[in-house]
Amino acid sequence: MCGIVGYIGHRDAAVIVVDGLRRLEYRGYDSAGVAVLNGHGIEVRREAGKLAQLESLLVQSPIGGPLGIGHTRWATHGPPVQRNAHPHSSPDAQMVVVQNGIVENFQPLRRLLQDRGYVFHSDTDTEVIVHLIHSHYHNGSERDLIHAVRAAAAELEGPSAIGVICQDDPERLVVVRLGNAGGVVIGHGEGETFLASDIPALLPYTRRMQFLENRQMAILSRDGVEIFDLDGNACDLPVTEISWDADAAEKGEYAHFMQKEIFEQAESIQRTLAHRIDFDHYRVDLPELNLSVDAARALRKLTIVACGTSYYAGLVGKFLIEHLARLPVEVDYASEYRYRSPVFGQDEMVLAITQSGETVDTLAAIEEARDFGVFTAAIVNAVGSQAARVCDGVIYMHAGPEIGVASTKAFTTSLVDMALLGIYLAQARGTMTAETHHALIDELAHLPGLVARLLADARQSGHYADLAARYGERHNFLYLGRGINYPVALEGALKLKEISYIHAEGYPAGEMKHGPIALIDERMPTVVVAPRNSVYDKMVSQIEQVKARNGAVLAVAEEDDAYIRAVADAILPIPPVHELLSPVVAVIPLQLLAYEVAVHRGADVDQPRNLAKSVTVE
Ligand code: F6R
């Protein structure tokens, strides 16, 4: 949450910083600001609202200079008004600070600084940081920015990524990472160095990037970067060459990132599968997982930890892995996991699922497991993210940058990763018949083609825009699924509520009669996920029960299912596919429905209210 961008070099810093913030706006859009160091000192422009407000201000009142820093905010302390926008300045305007994260002890620090005579102009925790650095800077005869930042960092509690520029130090930009406050990426150019909270901000400028670790400080200059720990010891940090295409972080022909990311799913699934299946021998290999065949065989329990959409992917994973590898799987909300003293045993594995690799609760759950010496792995999308770095093994989603706040392609690619993991474990444990093994691998190979066709048909038919026109004004929706598609119902409901603000509930279909069926009337549409599978008959009787109570039914069903087509009010067609892979195709109509309903209602699809993509605060 919150995005930071910084630049030092030979170009106009404000232009690069604002361009980078545009690519990070998914991290927060409550206010934005930029500070530039030039011959007049440090000049700051900040504005409440989205980045466009700041851009307008910069047109009226431009600032130029070769060193700059900027921020896009997701409000934690204080409302989204101009006085709370970053950067925050010291009283003499000599230094400015931007921050991502939370200063947990900001109240006592604020009182301490007030006693020292500092006057606060905002409600933010960030303002204590700039005053604290300023106070250390002026404490003693020698003014040393690095020393002052280090001394301030030692007093701060809670996760923070902090960027600082100082008028007396015009050739340096300082950044510190304290805890899991979201990424700190340093980009290397020719005679210029970049800073950002995430890779997409820097893709048009450089592919050579470093990822700052917890409790490290980086000093950026035009010629490169020096990295130290907080005791001042020099640190070596590998430079990673990022292969993502710069266009991957642009909307291109699409109206929204979410729409683009929905329509990219055939290609992203193709990338997820690439090089992991040996089709000649029907074998799956996951070398980055670092889990030997012997260790896979010895496993006694797998715990999946994740939040939101990634948690629902984990529920599908439980079904897949228990079915294929006969391994007990627990799925836990990462945000609950660490607050209930989990029990660990020998030969267990904890698997995190996280698109961003920076979700603070998921990282905390991983740490909890690591502290007990449990083998940890992550299904992760963001290259170089904290989850990818700290876990013993990784299975990348290879979805490419996901920028729309509502997760889509990360969900389907993590389902594919989970299918690969299920097969890999089953191979090692000898728990899968050759028939299932071959069938699944053949179907995985066909999956990108099936998804491409489903999406092409949806685009051509305009069906989802029609459905949005018919149902988009309803106030409540119910989503039902059963078996492996029950989590798909939960995910469909989440997609609808987060971008269109319509109340939607996902339920296991079998639970309907235990209460929720009371909700059904002619005003409450029910979306059912009903491919022809082992629970098809149960889903059909569910549809009948809703219809008997005058409820409208929108059914995700196979395109040639004449029975459901006749009985349901609308069909959301999917191709037939192996039951264990059916969630990958079944969720796509629900993404399209949510997207079109949000567009119909005029909602801001890519930047839904109150949300931000990377949840780096608790
Ligand atoms: C919903 C959504 C969120 C995320 C959740 C976890 O569309 O995007 O529910 O899935 O915040 O994020 P990651 O996967 O980055 O850990």
Side-chain angles (χ1 to χ4, degrees):
M1 276 161 165
C2 299
I4 293 175
V5 179
Y7 175 80
I8 179 160
H10 46 79
R11 298 194 244 186
D12 194 337
V15 172
I16 289 176
V17 167
V18 170
D19 181 53
L21 291 178
R22 192 171 54 76
R23 286 165 227 283
L24 292 188
E25 217 186 353
Y26 61 84
R27 300 175 71 95
Y29 26 86
D30 287 332
S31 64
V34 59
V36 161
L37 181 63
N38 57 31
H40 308 293
I42 297 178
E43 291 191 275
V44 179
R45 302 284 183 273
R46 20 181 229 164
E47 205 46 280
K50 297 197 173 172
L51 188 64
Q53 311 298 321
L54 174 67
E55 287 176 301
S56 307
L57 177 66
L58 285 166
V59 170
Q60 289 159 25
S61 180
I63 44 175
L67 167 58
I69 199 155
H71 186 269
T72 175
R73 176 170 187 246
W74 186 86
T76 57
H77 296 68
V81 293
Q82 202 238 10
R83 71 170 186 282
N84 290 328
H86 301 213
H88 291 282
S89 307
S90 61
D92 53 8
Q94 261 192 344
M95 51 182 70
V96 295
V97 160
V98 292
Q99 178 218 11
N100 177 14
I102 288 193
V103 180
E104 284 167 3
N105 56 338
F106 97 102
Q107 292 286 13
L109 285 175
R110 191 173 161 120
R111 281 194 294 274
L112 180 103
L113 288 159
Q114 279 167 333
D115 289 347
R116 287 183 197 161
Y118 284 90
V119 176
F120 282 77
H121 300 284
S122 79
D123 315 307
T124 65
D125 51 344
T126 311
E127 202 180 351
V128 303
I129 305 177
V130 69
H131 294 334
L132 200 57
I133 297 173
H134 183 267
S135 147
H136 283 291
Y137 189 70
H138 289 278
N139 184 13
S141 53
E142 211 174 311
R143 298 197 173 165
D144 180 342
L145 179 65
I146 307 303
H147 171 81
V149 173
R150 199 175 284 139
E155 289 183 61
L156 298 173
E157 288 169 17
S160 276
I162 301 160
V164 190
I165 60 177
C166 176
Q167 190 178 322
D168 298 344
D169 226 320
E171 294 296 328
R172 299 198 290 188
L173 190 169
V174 182
V175 57
V176 182
R177 178 175 182 156
L178 301 172
N180 295 325
V184 177
V185 183
I186 296 156
H188 296 268
E190 294 303 322
E192 54 186 354
T193 310
F194 305 82
L195 163 71
S197 302
D198 204 354
I199 297 171
L202 305 185
L203 283 177
Y205 306 106
T206 179
R207 300 298 166 82
R208 287 188 301 126
M209 301 191 193
Q210 284 174 296
F211 303 95
L212 205 65
E213 298 284 359
N214 183 15
R215 304 199 69 73
Q216 285 185 336
M217 166 190 274
I219 303 167
L220 280 62
S221 66
R222 301 163 196 270
D223 303 322
V225 62
E226 291 174 285
I227 293 164
F228 301 95
D229 64 21
L230 289 184
D231 297 323
N233 304 306
C235 303
D236 246 353
L237 211 55
V239 176
T240 306
E241 193 74 34
I242 302 296
S243 60
W244 287 353
D245 188 343
D247 290 347
E250 301 291 341
K251 278 201 287 251
E253 65 184 280
Y254 293 94
H256 299 98
F257 278 110
M258 182 185 179
Q259 187 190 30
K260 176 182 181 233
E261 288 157 9
I262 290 173
F263 281 94
E264 271 174 0
Q265 288 177 106
E267 294 82 33
S268 49
I269 292 170
Q270 184 79 62
R271 278 197 305 274
T272 312
L273 291 171
H275 312 302
R276 285 166 164 176
I277 302 178
D278 172 353
F279 287 101
D280 293 334
H281 301 96
Y282 279 92
R283 304 290 296 173
V284 166
D285 198 12
L286 299 169
E288 295 160 314
L289 178 59
N290 283 328
L291 184 74
S292 68
V293 169
D294 284 346
R297 200 172 289 142
L299 274 181
R300 288 202 229 162
K301 188 174 130 196
L302 172 69
T303 303
I304 297 177
V305 288
C307 296
T309 288
S310 295
Y311 172 80
Y312 298 148
L315 294 179
V316 176
K318 173 180 169 71
F319 202 98
L320 267 165
I321 292 166
E322 288 188 340
H323 186 90
L324 292 174
R326 307 309 302 148
L327 176 67
V329 180
E330 266 182 30
V331 190
D332 239 309
Y333 281 114
S335 49
E336 291 293 325
Y337 187 66
R338 62 177 150 147
Y339 294 113
R340 62 161 185 79
S341 54
V343 179
F344 297 102
Q346 277 214 316
D347 299 319
E348 292 192 5
M349 168 171 159
V350 169
L351 174 73
I353 304 174
T354 168
Q355 187 286 130
S356 62
E358 300 288 352
T359 298
V360 68
D361 287 318
T362 307
L363 292 176
I366 295 171
E367 263 167 36
E368 183 91 21
R370 285 175 62 78
D371 287 349
F372 278 90
V374 174
F375 181 87
T376 54
I379 290 181
V380 64
N381 192 35
V383 180
S385 58
Q386 185 75 353
R389 292 201 307 272
V390 300
C391 285
D392 300 305
V394 64
I395 311 176
Y396 276 108
M397 297 176 193
H398 293 303
E402 190 181 70
I403 292 174
V405 167
S407 188
T408 52
K409 61 180 179 169
F411 182 72
T412 46
T413 52
S414 53
L415 297 187
V416 172
D417 268 347
M418 220 107 50
L420 292 171
L421 176 61
I423 298 171
Y424 179 75
L425 293 173
Q427 281 170 187
R429 298 162 71 86
T431 49
M432 187 171 43
T433 63
E435 199 190 348
T436 308
H437 194 170
H438 286 207
L440 269 178
I441 286 185
D442 285 340
E443 291 254 352
L444 276 171
H446 291 132
L447 208 46
L450 295 176
V451 169
R453 190 162 64 76
L454 188 168
L455 288 167
D457 290 350
R459 191 199 292 253
Q460 217 185 1
S461 66
H463 181 49
Y464 291 89
D466 294 345
L467 287 176
R470 268 166 72 191
Y471 295 101
E473 302 302 328
R474 302 293 174 99
H475 298 297
N476 298 287
F477 275 71
L478 200 58
Y479 283 68
L480 302 178
R482 197 151 192 183
I484 198 166
N485 282 302
Y486 151 56
V488 171
L490 299 181
E491 171 61 4
L494 176 62
K495 286 289 89 91
L496 188 71
K497 63 187 144 195
E498 71 181 324
I499 57 170
S500 66
Y501 319 137
I502 295 175
H503 170 244
E505 273 195 63
Y507 246 96
E511 285 295 299
M512 275 294 279
K513 286 196 260 329
H514 301 285
I517 199 160
L519 292 169
I520 303 287
D521 64 12
E522 63 288 351
R523 286 165 303 172
M524 164 82 98
T526 302
V527 181
V528 299
V529 186
R532 285 194 191 96
N533 61 16
S534 56
V535 290
Y536 176 74
D537 292 345
K538 314 262 180 245
M539 290 307 298
V540 166
S541 50
Q542 203 63 66
I543 294 173
E544 299 285 2
Q545 288 164 24
V546 174
K547 289 304 305 171
R549 285 156 184 85
N550 295 326
V553 171
L554 285 70
V556 176
E558 288 172 18
E559 48 217 355
D560 63 346
D561 189 328
Y563 180 78
I564 291 191
R565 200 173 273 279
V567 74
D569 296 81
I571 183 160
L572 286 61
I574 53 170
V577 65
H578 193 294
E579 180 164 358
L580 293 178
L581 302 179
S582 60
V584 179
V585 294
V587 76
I588 294 174
L590 304 185
Q591 298 169 344
L592 288 163
L593 179 67
Y595 173 77
E596 291 294 351
V597 168
V599 171
H600 170 80
R601 294 166 69 92
D604 191 340
V605 173
D606 282 334
Q607 294 172 355
R609 69 185 181 205
N610 306 337
L611 290 173
K613 188 142 188 82
S614 260
V615 183
T616 56
V617 296
E618 270 199 76

